[in-house]
Amino acid sequence: MDLGLADRTVVVTGGSSGVGLATVRALLDEGARVATCGRDADRLAKATASLDPERLFTAPCDVRDADAVRRFLDAVTDRFGPAVDGLVNNAGQSRMKPLDATTEEDWRDELELKFAGVLHPLAAARAALRASDAASIVNVNAVLAKQPETRLITTSAARAGILNLSKSLSAELAGEGIRVNSVCLGLVDTGQWTRRHAAAGSGQPYEEWQAALAADRGIALGRLGRAEEVAYAILMLLSPRASYITGTSIDVCGGVGRGIL
C-alpha cells in the first residue's frame, strides 16, 4: 500500500539510533524528505552516513534548548520548503531508579527532557505544520505511561504526563489541521539491551537471555521488539491515509499488559 508519504517532509528528533533511526530509514524508503537531529553530532553523522543525502538533512540539536530547536526547524524549511508534513517527537531516554535513589534533580531533569522533547519541536514547527495539507505529529512514548514501574518511577510519571499532553494537543490542534497521536512502545531490542547483556557476563546466549527477560516482563510474544516494528506504526500514523485518526495511542509492546486499557 502506498502510504502517501513520498515527497512529504517529516522531522524526526533523536534520529541517531534505535527507533528514531529506524523511522528515518523507513521514511526515506517511502520517498519522504527527512530531517533529523541528535545531541551528538559525530554519532548522528556516523548513523546516517549511508543514507540518501539528497533527501536527508541532519544537524546536531538538543531538544531541551528551545533556541537550538528553532534554528534546526528554520534550517529544515530553508532546505525543504515552508511546509512540514510530519513531526516525530522521539528524543528521550529511560531513567532506571527507584524512589529512594531518585533526587530532586533527577525529577527535574526527567520532566524537563520529556516535556521539552514535545513542546519545543511543536513550537518551532507549528507554523510549518499548519502549511501542510496533511499535518501529523507522532509522540513516541512507552507503555510505562499506562503501566508504571517503581524501578523507573521518574520515567513512568513523565511518560504518563506526555500521554495526557498528547491527548490535549490533539484537541487543541485539530482546528489547525494537525493530528496528534502516540506510539507506546515496550522493550525494544536496541543497543542498551545488548550492552546490559554484555555487562551481565552470564555467558548465556543473547537470544536465551532476551527470552528470559521477555518472560520476566510478561511479554506475550516472548521476545523484545525490533526498532523497525515501531517505525512501521509511526509511519502509519504519519500517513495521510490515517487522516481520521487523532488523539489515540497504539501499543507496540508484544502484548505486555496488566490490564485491558
Side-chain angles (χ1 to χ4, degrees):
M1 177 184 290
D2 180 2
L3 294 176
L5 293 170
D7 298 321
R8 297 278 184 179
T9 297
V10 182
V11 175
V12 181
T13 65
S16 299
S17 63
V19 170
L21 181 57
T23 302
V24 169
R25 287 173 172 157
L27 285 164
L28 290 172
D29 287 345
E30 291 291 325
R33 297 181 294 261
V34 185
T36 192
C37 63
R39 284 183 291 177
D40 188 321
D42 290 339
R43 186 182 183 198
L44 180 64
K46 289 177 182 177
T48 59
S50 64
L51 302 181
D52 183 358
E54 294 299 316
R55 291 186 292 116
L56 178 66
F57 172 76
T58 66
C61 180
D62 187 336
V63 294
R64 292 171 295 188
D65 184 337
D67 290 336
V69 175
R70 187 162 47 251
R71 289 192 298 270
F72 171 61
L73 262 296
D74 286 344
V76 172
T77 54
D78 285 345
R79 170 74 181 273
F80 292 137
V84 168
D85 302 291
L87 171 62
V88 181
N89 290 317
N90 171 69
Q93 61 188 13
S94 295
R95 191 179 297 267
M96 185 73 77
K97 283 187 177 183
L99 177 63
D100 289 343
T102 303
T103 65
E104 288 188 16
E105 184 177 1
D106 289 331
W107 282 105
R108 285 193 297 270
D109 287 349
E110 188 69 1
L111 293 169
E112 178 188 14
L113 174 60
K114 295 299 186 293
F115 281 87
V118 171
L119 294 173
H120 288 167
L122 169 61
R126 190 167 176 177
L129 287 163
R130 284 198 299 264
S132 169
D133 63 352
S136 175
I137 297 172
V138 178
N139 293 325
V140 179
N141 207 323
V143 291
L144 290 173
K146 307 172 186 178
Q147 303 174 41
E149 291 189 19
T150 56
R151 54 191 156 185
L152 290 156
I153 193 164
T154 56
T155 298
S156 294
R159 291 293 192 188
I162 292 301
L163 190 61
N164 187 293
L165 174 64
S166 298
K167 184 68 173 180
S168 296
L169 291 175
S170 71
E172 194 77 14
L173 300 177
E176 300 177 30
I178 303 171
R179 297 183 296 110
V180 183
N181 293 290
S182 301
V183 169
C184 293
L185 54 86
L187 298 190
V188 176
D189 189 6
T190 58
Q192 65 169 320
W193 293 109
T194 54
R195 289 192 295 271
R196 289 182 187 182
H197 169 254
S202 65
Q204 187 179 27
Y206 181 64
E207 291 73 16
E208 293 180 9
W209 182 86
Q210 181 186 138
L213 175 64
D216 177 66
R217 299 296 179 89
I219 301 172
L221 292 183
R223 63 173 176 85
L224 305 190
R226 298 186 297 273
E228 59 267 26
E229 292 175 311
V230 183
Y232 298 148
I234 293 170
L235 263 63
M236 185 278 289
L237 291 172
L238 288 172
S239 170
R241 293 186 179 274
S243 56
Y244 202 50
I245 301 175
T246 195
T248 195
S249 64
I250 296 177
D251 292 351
V252 185
C253 60
V256 66
R258 295 188 291 274
I260 60 173
L261 298 179

